[in-house]
Amino acid sequence: MSNVIFLLSGPNLDELGVREPAVYGDTTLSQHVARFSARSSAAGCTVVHRQSNFEGDLVEAIHEARQDEALAIVINAGALTHYSWSLRDALVNFPGIKIEVHLSNPLAREDFRHVSTLASVVNGSIAGFRALSYDLAFEAVLALRDTSAPSPGVA
Ligand code: DQA
């Protein structure tokens, strides 16, 4: 297994900074990625970041992570979280660490955000801490790496 972490960002996250700052904060996606990458490299990990507004691109990025035998996938799937069965099916087949992350707390928002298709196939979900969510997600990757926790969904 490598030390590569795939950080995946779904639809509209490229608009962070100008997108509903009262909900998501004013940090841009580039700033989140830079911070996540800095923490990762300090711990000897490499980050591959992919952002797309298209579901299939994210499915293919998950396939790529599996083919590359990546250590972990940290995914903020944006609104796809709430209805994408193809992302869920792709994640099932990834044998490494899987962390779902959200800046806001979807459970404290509209009803349609209360469902996550990903929640049952990830090691865990971190939501509601704004920029700190990414820091906590990274800490979760390190902790799970060091305890060799099983990967949900992989037979
Ligand atoms: C989000 C929450 C989702 O409900 C929303 O559609 C997003 C961002 C978050 O990071 O809080 O695009 O994933």
Side-chain angles (χ1 to χ4, degrees), residues 53-94:
N53 296 319
F54 300 95
E55 187 174 9
D57 288 342
L58 296 165
V59 169
E60 290 185 352
I62 294 169
H63 295 174
E64 189 184 337
R66 183 183 53 73
Q67 287 154 10
D68 291 357
E69 300 183 2
L71 170 68
I73 293 175
V74 173
I75 182 166
N76 184 346
L80 289 170
T81 304
H82 313 304
Y83 61 91
S84 174
W85 296 108
S86 58
L87 281 182
R88 184 247 180 234
D89 283 353
L91 279 173
V92 165
N93 210 32
F94 175 76

PDB file of all heavy atoms in Angstrom, residues 53-94:
ATOM      1  N   ASN A  53     -17.334  18.615 -11.366  1.00  0.00           N
ATOM      2  CA  ASN A  53     -18.770  18.851 -11.252  1.00  0.00           C
ATOM      3  C   ASN A  53     -19.559  17.712 -11.895  1.00  0.00           C
ATOM      4  O   ASN A  53     -20.782  17.795 -12.000  1.00  0.00           O
ATOM      5  CB  ASN A  53     -19.123  20.201 -11.887  1.00  0.00           C
ATOM      6  CG  ASN A  53     -18.477  21.348 -11.133  1.00  0.00           C
ATOM      7  OD1 ASN A  53     -18.454  21.333  -9.898  1.00  0.00           O
ATOM      8  ND2 ASN A  53     -17.916  22.317 -11.833  1.00  0.00           N
ATOM      9  N   PHE A  54     -18.844  16.657 -12.321  1.00  0.00           N
ATOM     10  CA  PHE A  54     -19.461  15.539 -13.041  1.00  0.00           C
ATOM     11  C   PHE A  54     -19.236  14.232 -12.278  1.00  0.00           C
ATOM     12  O   PHE A  54     -18.091  13.870 -11.961  1.00  0.00           O
ATOM     13  CB  PHE A  54     -18.885  15.440 -14.456  1.00  0.00           C
ATOM     14  CG  PHE A  54     -19.142  16.693 -15.257  1.00  0.00           C
ATOM     15  CD1 PHE A  54     -18.179  17.690 -15.330  1.00  0.00           C
ATOM     16  CD2 PHE A  54     -20.363  16.893 -15.881  1.00  0.00           C
ATOM     17  CE1 PHE A  54     -18.421  18.860 -16.036  1.00  0.00           C
ATOM     18  CE2 PHE A  54     -20.608  18.055 -16.584  1.00  0.00           C
ATOM     19  CZ  PHE A  54     -19.637  19.047 -16.668  1.00  0.00           C
ATOM     20  N   GLU A  55     -20.323  13.537 -12.045  1.00  0.00           N
ATOM     21  CA  GLU A  55     -20.286  12.309 -11.249  1.00  0.00           C
ATOM     22  C   GLU A  55     -19.286  11.291 -11.793  1.00  0.00           C
ATOM     23  O   GLU A  55     -18.517  10.680 -11.038  1.00  0.00           O
ATOM     24  CB  GLU A  55     -21.705  11.727 -11.237  1.00  0.00           C
ATOM     25  CG  GLU A  55     -21.925  10.556 -10.335  1.00  0.00           C
ATOM     26  CD  GLU A  55     -23.402  10.161 -10.309  1.00  0.00           C
ATOM     27  OE1 GLU A  55     -24.203  10.699 -11.119  1.00  0.00           O
ATOM     28  OE2 GLU A  55     -23.754   9.320  -9.473  1.00  0.00           O
ATOM     29  N   GLY A  56     -19.321  11.064 -13.121  1.00  0.00           N
ATOM     30  CA  GLY A  56     -18.462  10.036 -13.720  1.00  0.00           C
ATOM     31  C   GLY A  56     -16.976  10.304 -13.503  1.00  0.00           C
ATOM     32  O   GLY A  56     -16.189   9.366 -13.341  1.00  0.00           O
ATOM     33  N   ASP A  57     -16.590  11.571 -13.506  1.00  0.00           N
ATOM     34  CA  ASP A  57     -15.175  11.895 -13.254  1.00  0.00           C
ATOM     35  C   ASP A  57     -14.761  11.420 -11.862  1.00  0.00           C
ATOM     36  O   ASP A  57     -13.638  10.937 -11.659  1.00  0.00           O
ATOM     37  CB  ASP A  57     -14.941  13.406 -13.318  1.00  0.00           C
ATOM     38  CG  ASP A  57     -15.022  13.959 -14.729  1.00  0.00           C
ATOM     39  OD1 ASP A  57     -14.923  13.172 -15.690  1.00  0.00           O
ATOM     40  OD2 ASP A  57     -15.179  15.189 -14.855  1.00  0.00           O
ATOM     41  N   LEU A  58     -15.680  11.582 -10.917  1.00  0.00           N
ATOM     42  CA  LEU A  58     -15.358  11.176  -9.538  1.00  0.00           C
ATOM     43  C   LEU A  58     -15.347   9.660  -9.412  1.00  0.00           C
ATOM     44  O   LEU A  58     -14.503   9.096  -8.702  1.00  0.00           O
ATOM     45  CB  LEU A  58     -16.349  11.812  -8.561  1.00  0.00           C
ATOM     46  CG  LEU A  58     -16.271  13.351  -8.526  1.00  0.00           C
ATOM     47  CD1 LEU A  58     -17.487  13.938  -7.834  1.00  0.00           C
ATOM     48  CD2 LEU A  58     -14.989  13.809  -7.838  1.00  0.00           C
ATOM     49  N   VAL A  59     -16.253   8.983 -10.134  1.00  0.00           N
ATOM     50  CA  VAL A  59     -16.234   7.515 -10.164  1.00  0.00           C
ATOM     51  C   VAL A  59     -14.876   7.049 -10.698  1.00  0.00           C
ATOM     52  O   VAL A  59     -14.229   6.160 -10.117  1.00  0.00           O
ATOM     53  CB  VAL A  59     -17.389   6.963 -11.042  1.00  0.00           C
ATOM     54  CG1 VAL A  59     -17.209   5.477 -11.304  1.00  0.00           C
ATOM     55  CG2 VAL A  59     -18.734   7.240 -10.382  1.00  0.00           C
ATOM     56  N   GLU A  60     -14.420   7.661 -11.779  1.00  0.00           N
ATOM     57  CA  GLU A  60     -13.137   7.258 -12.367  1.00  0.00           C
ATOM     58  C   GLU A  60     -11.965   7.586 -11.443  1.00  0.00           C
ATOM     59  O   GLU A  60     -10.980   6.838 -11.400  1.00  0.00           O
ATOM     60  CB  GLU A  60     -12.974   7.903 -13.744  1.00  0.00           C
ATOM     61  CG  GLU A  60     -13.938   7.272 -14.739  1.00  0.00           C
ATOM     62  CD  GLU A  60     -13.769   7.767 -16.161  1.00  0.00           C
ATOM     63  OE1 GLU A  60     -12.999   8.722 -16.383  1.00  0.00           O
ATOM     64  OE2 GLU A  60     -14.411   7.174 -17.045  1.00  0.00           O
ATOM     65  N   ALA A  61     -12.073   8.652 -10.699  1.00  0.00           N
ATOM     66  CA  ALA A  61     -10.998   8.978  -9.746  1.00  0.00           C
ATOM     67  C   ALA A  61     -10.932   7.914  -8.646  1.00  0.00           C
ATOM     68  O   ALA A  61      -9.837   7.555  -8.180  1.00  0.00           O
ATOM     69  CB  ALA A  61     -11.232  10.360  -9.145  1.00  0.00           C
ATOM     70  N   ILE A  62     -12.087   7.389  -8.251  1.00  0.00           N
ATOM     71  CA  ILE A  62     -12.089   6.311  -7.242  1.00  0.00           C
ATOM     72  C   ILE A  62     -11.466   5.049  -7.837  1.00  0.00           C
ATOM     73  O   ILE A  62     -10.673   4.351  -7.179  1.00  0.00           O
ATOM     74  CB  ILE A  62     -13.530   6.055  -6.736  1.00  0.00           C
ATOM     75  CG1 ILE A  62     -14.038   7.286  -5.977  1.00  0.00           C
ATOM     76  CG2 ILE A  62     -13.584   4.808  -5.853  1.00  0.00           C
ATOM     77  CD1 ILE A  62     -15.529   7.266  -5.660  1.00  0.00           C
ATOM     78  N   HIS A  63     -11.774   4.759  -9.098  1.00  0.00           N
ATOM     79  CA  HIS A  63     -11.135   3.608  -9.761  1.00  0.00           C
ATOM     80  C   HIS A  63      -9.611   3.787  -9.791  1.00  0.00           C
ATOM     81  O   HIS A  63      -8.853   2.848  -9.550  1.00  0.00           O
ATOM     82  CB  HIS A  63     -11.623   3.464 -11.207  1.00  0.00           C
ATOM     83  CG  HIS A  63     -13.081   3.146 -11.331  1.00  0.00           C
ATOM     84  ND1 HIS A  63     -13.732   3.094 -12.540  1.00  0.00           N
ATOM     85  CD2 HIS A  63     -14.023   2.877 -10.396  1.00  0.00           C
ATOM     86  CE1 HIS A  63     -15.005   2.792 -12.350  1.00  0.00           C
ATOM     87  NE2 HIS A  63     -15.203   2.655 -11.057  1.00  0.00           N
ATOM     88  N   GLU A  64      -9.201   5.010 -10.111  1.00  0.00           N
ATOM     89  CA  GLU A  64      -7.766   5.318 -10.180  1.00  0.00           C
ATOM     90  C   GLU A  64      -7.106   5.083  -8.820  1.00  0.00           C
ATOM     91  O   GLU A  64      -6.009   4.512  -8.737  1.00  0.00           O
ATOM     92  CB  GLU A  64      -7.604   6.771 -10.627  1.00  0.00           C
ATOM     93  CG  GLU A  64      -6.197   7.188 -10.952  1.00  0.00           C
ATOM     94  CD  GLU A  64      -6.126   8.681 -11.291  1.00  0.00           C
ATOM     95  OE1 GLU A  64      -7.146   9.287 -11.700  1.00  0.00           O
ATOM     96  OE2 GLU A  64      -5.032   9.250 -11.117  1.00  0.00           O
ATOM     97  N   ALA A  65      -7.785   5.501  -7.765  1.00  0.00           N
ATOM     98  CA  ALA A  65      -7.240   5.306  -6.412  1.00  0.00           C
ATOM     99  C   ALA A  65      -7.065   3.810  -6.129  1.00  0.00           C
ATOM    100  O   ALA A  65      -6.069   3.382  -5.540  1.00  0.00           O
ATOM    101  CB  ALA A  65      -8.161   5.949  -5.382  1.00  0.00           C
ATOM    102  N   ARG A  66      -8.042   3.002  -6.556  1.00  0.00           N
ATOM    103  CA  ARG A  66      -7.934   1.550  -6.347  1.00  0.00           C
ATOM    104  C   ARG A  66      -6.785   0.973  -7.166  1.00  0.00           C
ATOM    105  O   ARG A  66      -5.968   0.201  -6.653  1.00  0.00           O
ATOM    106  CB  ARG A  66      -9.252   0.859  -6.722  1.00  0.00           C
ATOM    107  CG  ARG A  66      -9.237  -0.649  -6.463  1.00  0.00           C
ATOM    108  CD  ARG A  66     -10.507  -1.337  -6.908  1.00  0.00           C
ATOM    109  NE  ARG A  66     -10.858  -1.062  -8.289  1.00  0.00           N
ATOM    110  CZ  ARG A  66     -10.220  -1.565  -9.348  1.00  0.00           C
ATOM    111  NH1 ARG A  66      -9.197  -2.369  -9.179  1.00  0.00           N
ATOM    112  NH2 ARG A  66     -10.585  -1.249 -10.568  1.00  0.00           N
ATOM    113  N   GLN A  67      -6.696   1.375  -8.445  1.00  0.00           N
ATOM    114  CA  GLN A  67      -5.626   0.856  -9.297  1.00  0.00           C
ATOM    115  C   GLN A  67      -4.247   1.245  -8.761  1.00  0.00           C
ATOM    116  O   GLN A  67      -3.294   0.472  -8.864  1.00  0.00           O
ATOM    117  CB  GLN A  67      -5.802   1.372 -10.735  1.00  0.00           C
ATOM    118  CG  GLN A  67      -6.955   0.695 -11.458  1.00  0.00           C
ATOM    119  CD  GLN A  67      -7.560   1.560 -12.572  1.00  0.00           C
ATOM    120  OE1 GLN A  67      -7.003   2.600 -12.934  1.00  0.00           O
ATOM    121  NE2 GLN A  67      -8.697   1.129 -13.106  1.00  0.00           N
ATOM    122  N   ASP A  68      -4.149   2.431  -8.192  1.00  0.00           N
ATOM    123  CA  ASP A  68      -2.867   2.910  -7.650  1.00  0.00           C
ATOM    124  C   ASP A  68      -2.597   2.390  -6.245  1.00  0.00           C
ATOM    125  O   ASP A  68      -1.587   2.750  -5.637  1.00  0.00           O
ATOM    126  CB  ASP A  68      -2.856   4.450  -7.600  1.00  0.00           C
ATOM    127  CG  ASP A  68      -2.809   5.078  -8.984  1.00  0.00           C
ATOM    128  OD1 ASP A  68      -2.726   4.316  -9.969  1.00  0.00           O
ATOM    129  OD2 ASP A  68      -2.866   6.320  -9.075  1.00  0.00           O
ATOM    130  N   GLU A  69      -3.527   1.595  -5.720  1.00  0.00           N
ATOM    131  CA  GLU A  69      -3.398   1.051  -4.359  1.00  0.00           C
ATOM    132  C   GLU A  69      -3.165   2.167  -3.346  1.00  0.00           C
ATOM    133  O   GLU A  69      -2.273   2.097  -2.491  1.00  0.00           O
ATOM    134  CB  GLU A  69      -2.302  -0.010  -4.296  1.00  0.00           C
ATOM    135  CG  GLU A  69      -2.592  -1.176  -5.234  1.00  0.00           C
ATOM    136  CD  GLU A  69      -1.549  -2.296  -5.142  1.00  0.00           C
ATOM    137  OE1 GLU A  69      -0.621  -2.187  -4.321  1.00  0.00           O
ATOM    138  OE2 GLU A  69      -1.682  -3.260  -5.896  1.00  0.00           O
ATOM    139  N   ALA A  70      -3.961   3.210  -3.478  1.00  0.00           N
ATOM    140  CA  ALA A  70      -3.831   4.358  -2.584  1.00  0.00           C
ATOM    141  C   ALA A  70      -4.129   3.959  -1.145  1.00  0.00           C
ATOM    142  O   ALA A  70      -4.890   3.026  -0.881  1.00  0.00           O
ATOM    143  CB  ALA A  70      -4.792   5.466  -3.027  1.00  0.00           C
ATOM    144  N   LEU A  71      -3.531   4.712  -0.242  1.00  0.00           N
ATOM    145  CA  LEU A  71      -3.767   4.487   1.187  1.00  0.00           C
ATOM    146  C   LEU A  71      -5.208   4.827   1.562  1.00  0.00           C
ATOM    147  O   LEU A  71      -5.838   4.102   2.342  1.00  0.00           O
ATOM    148  CB  LEU A  71      -2.810   5.382   1.994  1.00  0.00           C
ATOM    149  CG  LEU A  71      -3.042   5.487   3.499  1.00  0.00           C
ATOM    150  CD1 LEU A  71      -2.743   4.146   4.177  1.00  0.00           C
ATOM    151  CD2 LEU A  71      -2.179   6.601   4.081  1.00  0.00           C
ATOM    152  N   ALA A  72      -5.709   5.936   1.018  1.00  0.00           N
ATOM    153  CA  ALA A  72      -7.003   6.440   1.493  1.00  0.00           C
ATOM    154  C   ALA A  72      -7.686   7.302   0.446  1.00  0.00           C
ATOM    155  O   ALA A  72      -7.033   7.892  -0.427  1.00  0.00           O
ATOM    156  CB  ALA A  72      -6.795   7.274   2.759  1.00  0.00           C
ATOM    157  N   ILE A  73      -9.010   7.357   0.578  1.00  0.00           N
ATOM    158  CA  ILE A  73      -9.813   8.344  -0.149  1.00  0.00           C
ATOM    159  C   ILE A  73     -10.519   9.201   0.888  1.00  0.00           C
ATOM    160  O   ILE A  73     -11.191   8.674   1.785  1.00  0.00           O
ATOM    161  CB  ILE A  73     -10.865   7.672  -1.057  1.00  0.00           C
ATOM    162  CG1 ILE A  73     -10.184   6.913  -2.202  1.00  0.00           C
ATOM    163  CG2 ILE A  73     -11.846   8.711  -1.608  1.00  0.00           C
ATOM    164  CD1 ILE A  73     -11.155   6.113  -3.072  1.00  0.00           C
ATOM    165  N   VAL A  74     -10.334  10.507   0.758  1.00  0.00           N
ATOM    166  CA  VAL A  74     -11.092  11.469   1.570  1.00  0.00           C
ATOM    167  C   VAL A  74     -12.004  12.191   0.582  1.00  0.00           C
ATOM    168  O   VAL A  74     -11.527  12.832  -0.359  1.00  0.00           O
ATOM    169  CB  VAL A  74     -10.154  12.454   2.294  1.00  0.00           C
ATOM    170  CG1 VAL A  74     -10.959  13.551   2.995  1.00  0.00           C
ATOM    171  CG2 VAL A  74      -9.279  11.705   3.288  1.00  0.00           C
ATOM    172  N   ILE A  75     -13.306  12.052   0.772  1.00  0.00           N
ATOM    173  CA  ILE A  75     -14.224  12.556  -0.244  1.00  0.00           C
ATOM    174  C   ILE A  75     -15.271  13.500   0.334  1.00  0.00           C
ATOM    175  O   ILE A  75     -15.959  13.171   1.297  1.00  0.00           O
ATOM    176  CB  ILE A  75     -14.902  11.379  -1.000  1.00  0.00           C
ATOM    177  CG1 ILE A  75     -15.835  11.907  -2.104  1.00  0.00           C
ATOM    178  CG2 ILE A  75     -15.610  10.403  -0.062  1.00  0.00           C
ATOM    179  CD1 ILE A  75     -16.271  10.850  -3.102  1.00  0.00           C
ATOM    180  N   ASN A  76     -15.329  14.687  -0.264  1.00  0.00           N
ATOM    181  CA  ASN A  76     -16.466  15.588  -0.068  1.00  0.00           C
ATOM    182  C   ASN A  76     -17.197  15.581  -1.402  1.00  0.00           C
ATOM    183  O   ASN A  76     -16.784  16.256  -2.352  1.00  0.00           O
ATOM    184  CB  ASN A  76     -16.024  16.999   0.307  1.00  0.00           C
ATOM    185  CG  ASN A  76     -17.230  17.898   0.593  1.00  0.00           C
ATOM    186  OD1 ASN A  76     -18.364  17.548   0.269  1.00  0.00           O
ATOM    187  ND2 ASN A  76     -16.975  19.049   1.184  1.00  0.00           N
ATOM    188  N   ALA A  77     -18.253  14.805  -1.480  1.00  0.00           N
ATOM    189  CA  ALA A  77     -18.955  14.617  -2.751  1.00  0.00           C
ATOM    190  C   ALA A  77     -19.984  15.709  -3.011  1.00  0.00           C
ATOM    191  O   ALA A  77     -20.733  15.615  -3.997  1.00  0.00           O
ATOM    192  CB  ALA A  77     -19.610  13.238  -2.775  1.00  0.00           C
ATOM    193  N   GLY A  78     -20.031  16.744  -2.156  1.00  0.00           N
ATOM    194  CA  GLY A  78     -21.026  17.791  -2.352  1.00  0.00           C
ATOM    195  C   GLY A  78     -22.420  17.180  -2.360  1.00  0.00           C
ATOM    196  O   GLY A  78     -22.702  16.200  -1.660  1.00  0.00           O
ATOM    197  N   ALA A  79     -23.295  17.711  -3.191  1.00  0.00           N
ATOM    198  CA  ALA A  79     -24.688  17.232  -3.217  1.00  0.00           C
ATOM    199  C   ALA A  79     -24.799  15.793  -3.726  1.00  0.00           C
ATOM    200  O   ALA A  79     -25.796  15.116  -3.446  1.00  0.00           O
ATOM    201  CB  ALA A  79     -25.541  18.160  -4.074  1.00  0.00           C
ATOM    202  N   LEU A  80     -23.793  15.306  -4.444  1.00  0.00           N
ATOM    203  CA  LEU A  80     -23.837  13.895  -4.894  1.00  0.00           C
ATOM    204  C   LEU A  80     -23.924  12.942  -3.702  1.00  0.00           C
ATOM    205  O   LEU A  80     -24.419  11.824  -3.822  1.00  0.00           O
ATOM    206  CB  LEU A  80     -22.589  13.560  -5.728  1.00  0.00           C
ATOM    207  CG  LEU A  80     -22.533  14.191  -7.122  1.00  0.00           C
ATOM    208  CD1 LEU A  80     -21.142  13.981  -7.736  1.00  0.00           C
ATOM    209  CD2 LEU A  80     -23.600  13.593  -8.028  1.00  0.00           C
ATOM    210  N   THR A  81     -23.426  13.411  -2.566  1.00  0.00           N
ATOM    211  CA  THR A  81     -23.521  12.627  -1.327  1.00  0.00           C
ATOM    212  C   THR A  81     -24.937  12.103  -1.104  1.00  0.00           C
ATOM    213  O   THR A  81     -25.130  11.009  -0.582  1.00  0.00           O
ATOM    214  CB  THR A  81     -23.190  13.543  -0.117  1.00  0.00           C
ATOM    215  OG1 THR A  81     -21.908  14.115  -0.305  1.00  0.00           O
ATOM    216  CG2 THR A  81     -23.262  12.791   1.201  1.00  0.00           C
ATOM    217  N   HIS A  82     -25.911  12.910  -1.496  1.00  0.00           N
ATOM    218  CA  HIS A  82     -27.292  12.634  -1.102  1.00  0.00           C
ATOM    219  C   HIS A  82     -28.058  11.761  -2.083  1.00  0.00           C
ATOM    220  O   HIS A  82     -29.173  11.355  -1.795  1.00  0.00           O
ATOM    221  CB  HIS A  82     -28.015  13.961  -0.857  1.00  0.00           C
ATOM    222  CG  HIS A  82     -27.227  14.915  -0.003  1.00  0.00           C
ATOM    223  ND1 HIS A  82     -26.778  14.564   1.255  1.00  0.00           N
ATOM    224  CD2 HIS A  82     -26.746  16.173  -0.237  1.00  0.00           C
ATOM    225  CE1 HIS A  82     -26.085  15.579   1.765  1.00  0.00           C
ATOM    226  NE2 HIS A  82     -26.039  16.559   0.876  1.00  0.00           N
ATOM    227  N   TYR A  83     -27.450  11.472  -3.262  1.00  0.00           N
ATOM    228  CA  TYR A  83     -28.204  10.660  -4.231  1.00  0.00           C
ATOM    229  C   TYR A  83     -27.345   9.815  -5.163  1.00  0.00           C
ATOM    230  O   TYR A  83     -27.889   9.124  -6.028  1.00  0.00           O
ATOM    231  CB  TYR A  83     -29.136  11.545  -5.074  1.00  0.00           C
ATOM    232  CG  TYR A  83     -28.426  12.590  -5.903  1.00  0.00           C
ATOM    233  CD1 TYR A  83     -28.019  12.309  -7.206  1.00  0.00           C
ATOM    234  CD2 TYR A  83     -28.159  13.856  -5.393  1.00  0.00           C
ATOM    235  CE1 TYR A  83     -27.365  13.254  -7.974  1.00  0.00           C
ATOM    236  CE2 TYR A  83     -27.506  14.809  -6.152  1.00  0.00           C
ATOM    237  CZ  TYR A  83     -27.115  14.501  -7.441  1.00  0.00           C
ATOM    238  OH  TYR A  83     -26.454  15.442  -8.183  1.00  0.00           O
ATOM    239  N   SER A  84     -26.028   9.819  -5.011  1.00  0.00           N
ATOM    240  CA  SER A  84     -25.204   9.100  -5.992  1.00  0.00           C
ATOM    241  C   SER A  84     -24.941   7.657  -5.576  1.00  0.00           C
ATOM    242  O   SER A  84     -24.088   7.384  -4.722  1.00  0.00           O
ATOM    243  CB  SER A  84     -23.862   9.804  -6.203  1.00  0.00           C
ATOM    244  OG  SER A  84     -23.058   8.986  -7.045  1.00  0.00           O
ATOM    245  N   TRP A  85     -25.635   6.737  -6.240  1.00  0.00           N
ATOM    246  CA  TRP A  85     -25.376   5.318  -5.979  1.00  0.00           C
ATOM    247  C   TRP A  85     -24.130   4.855  -6.708  1.00  0.00           C
ATOM    248  O   TRP A  85     -23.489   3.880  -6.295  1.00  0.00           O
ATOM    249  CB  TRP A  85     -26.601   4.485  -6.370  1.00  0.00           C
ATOM    250  CG  TRP A  85     -27.781   4.849  -5.518  1.00  0.00           C
ATOM    251  CD1 TRP A  85     -28.895   5.534  -5.887  1.00  0.00           C
ATOM    252  CD2 TRP A  85     -27.920   4.593  -4.106  1.00  0.00           C
ATOM    253  NE1 TRP A  85     -29.720   5.726  -4.800  1.00  0.00           N
ATOM    254  CE2 TRP A  85     -29.161   5.158  -3.702  1.00  0.00           C
ATOM    255  CE3 TRP A  85     -27.126   3.954  -3.155  1.00  0.00           C
ATOM    256  CZ2 TRP A  85     -29.612   5.084  -2.379  1.00  0.00           C
ATOM    257  CZ3 TRP A  85     -27.583   3.885  -1.839  1.00  0.00           C
ATOM    258  CH2 TRP A  85     -28.814   4.450  -1.474  1.00  0.00           C
ATOM    259  N   SER A  86     -23.749   5.519  -7.792  1.00  0.00           N
ATOM    260  CA  SER A  86     -22.539   5.086  -8.503  1.00  0.00           C
ATOM    261  C   SER A  86     -21.275   5.419  -7.704  1.00  0.00           C
ATOM    262  O   SER A  86     -20.313   4.641  -7.711  1.00  0.00           O
ATOM    263  CB  SER A  86     -22.475   5.673  -9.914  1.00  0.00           C
ATOM    264  OG  SER A  86     -22.505   7.073  -9.862  1.00  0.00           O
ATOM    265  N   LEU A  87     -21.286   6.528  -6.990  1.00  0.00           N
ATOM    266  CA  LEU A  87     -20.130   6.827  -6.124  1.00  0.00           C
ATOM    267  C   LEU A  87     -20.059   5.816  -4.983  1.00  0.00           C
ATOM    268  O   LEU A  87     -18.985   5.333  -4.616  1.00  0.00           O
ATOM    269  CB  LEU A  87     -20.230   8.240  -5.536  1.00  0.00           C
ATOM    270  CG  LEU A  87     -19.832   9.400  -6.429  1.00  0.00           C
ATOM    271  CD1 LEU A  87     -19.960  10.708  -5.666  1.00  0.00           C
ATOM    272  CD2 LEU A  87     -18.417   9.236  -6.958  1.00  0.00           C
ATOM    273  N   ARG A  88     -21.222   5.487  -4.463  1.00  0.00           N
ATOM    274  CA  ARG A  88     -21.273   4.488  -3.387  1.00  0.00           C
ATOM    275  C   ARG A  88     -20.719   3.148  -3.876  1.00  0.00           C
ATOM    276  O   ARG A  88     -19.884   2.526  -3.214  1.00  0.00           O
ATOM    277  CB  ARG A  88     -22.722   4.348  -2.911  1.00  0.00           C
ATOM    278  CG  ARG A  88     -22.913   3.421  -1.742  1.00  0.00           C
ATOM    279  CD  ARG A  88     -23.701   2.202  -2.190  1.00  0.00           C
ATOM    280  NE  ARG A  88     -23.905   1.300  -1.086  1.00  0.00           N
ATOM    281  CZ  ARG A  88     -23.569   0.004  -1.129  1.00  0.00           C
ATOM    282  NH1 ARG A  88     -23.009  -0.516  -2.203  1.00  0.00           N
ATOM    283  NH2 ARG A  88     -23.788  -0.762  -0.103  1.00  0.00           N
ATOM    284  N   ASP A  89     -21.152   2.718  -5.068  1.00  0.00           N
ATOM    285  CA  ASP A  89     -20.702   1.426  -5.592  1.00  0.00           C
ATOM    286  C   ASP A  89     -19.206   1.432  -5.890  1.00  0.00           C
ATOM    287  O   ASP A  89     -18.527   0.421  -5.711  1.00  0.00           O
ATOM    288  CB  ASP A  89     -21.480   1.062  -6.864  1.00  0.00           C
ATOM    289  CG  ASP A  89     -22.890   0.555  -6.553  1.00  0.00           C
ATOM    290  OD1 ASP A  89     -23.215   0.370  -5.364  1.00  0.00           O
ATOM    291  OD2 ASP A  89     -23.659   0.337  -7.512  1.00  0.00           O
ATOM    292  N   ALA A  90     -18.692   2.561  -6.364  1.00  0.00           N
ATOM    293  CA  ALA A  90     -17.253   2.651  -6.633  1.00  0.00           C
ATOM    294  C   ALA A  90     -16.466   2.580  -5.321  1.00  0.00           C
ATOM    295  O   ALA A  90     -15.442   1.888  -5.226  1.00  0.00           O
ATOM    296  CB  ALA A  90     -16.934   3.942  -7.379  1.00  0.00           C
ATOM    297  N   LEU A  91     -16.960   3.254  -4.305  1.00  0.00           N
ATOM    298  CA  LEU A  91     -16.247   3.264  -3.020  1.00  0.00           C
ATOM    299  C   LEU A  91     -16.224   1.885  -2.364  1.00  0.00           C
ATOM    300  O   LEU A  91     -15.240   1.516  -1.718  1.00  0.00           O
ATOM    301  CB  LEU A  91     -16.890   4.274  -2.060  1.00  0.00           C
ATOM    302  CG  LEU A  91     -16.504   5.738  -2.242  1.00  0.00           C
ATOM    303  CD1 LEU A  91     -17.352   6.617  -1.345  1.00  0.00           C
ATOM    304  CD2 LEU A  91     -15.013   5.952  -1.954  1.00  0.00           C
ATOM    305  N   VAL A  92     -17.318   1.134  -2.539  1.00  0.00           N
ATOM    306  CA  VAL A  92     -17.356  -0.215  -1.952  1.00  0.00           C
ATOM    307  C   VAL A  92     -16.137  -1.015  -2.390  1.00  0.00           C
ATOM    308  O   VAL A  92     -15.571  -1.790  -1.623  1.00  0.00           O
ATOM    309  CB  VAL A  92     -18.648  -0.965  -2.382  1.00  0.00           C
ATOM    310  CG1 VAL A  92     -18.537  -2.444  -2.091  1.00  0.00           C
ATOM    311  CG2 VAL A  92     -19.844  -0.384  -1.675  1.00  0.00           C
ATOM    312  N   ASN A  93     -15.751  -0.815  -3.646  1.00  0.00           N
ATOM    313  CA  ASN A  93     -14.696  -1.632  -4.237  1.00  0.00           C
ATOM    314  C   ASN A  93     -13.291  -1.107  -3.955  1.00  0.00           C
ATOM    315  O   ASN A  93     -12.314  -1.679  -4.439  1.00  0.00           O
ATOM    316  CB  ASN A  93     -14.936  -1.708  -5.748  1.00  0.00           C
ATOM    317  CG  ASN A  93     -14.440  -2.997  -6.338  1.00  0.00           C
ATOM    318  OD1 ASN A  93     -14.458  -4.026  -5.678  1.00  0.00           O
ATOM    319  ND2 ASN A  93     -13.984  -2.936  -7.573  1.00  0.00           N
ATOM    320  N   PHE A  94     -13.188  -0.027  -3.210  1.00  0.00           N
ATOM    321  CA  PHE A  94     -11.870   0.514  -2.847  1.00  0.00           C
ATOM    322  C   PHE A  94     -11.480  -0.070  -1.490  1.00  0.00           C
ATOM    323  O   PHE A  94     -12.190   0.144  -0.492  1.00  0.00           O
ATOM    324  CB  PHE A  94     -11.915   2.050  -2.784  1.00  0.00           C
ATOM    325  CG  PHE A  94     -10.623   2.643  -2.291  1.00  0.00           C
ATOM    326  CD1 PHE A  94      -9.518   2.706  -3.125  1.00  0.00           C
ATOM    327  CD2 PHE A  94     -10.498   3.111  -0.985  1.00  0.00           C
ATOM    328  CE1 PHE A  94      -8.314   3.221  -2.668  1.00  0.00           C
ATOM    329  CE2 PHE A  94      -9.307   3.630  -0.519  1.00  0.00           C
ATOM    330  CZ  PHE A  94      -8.213   3.686  -1.371  1.00  0.00           C
TER     331      PHE A  94
END
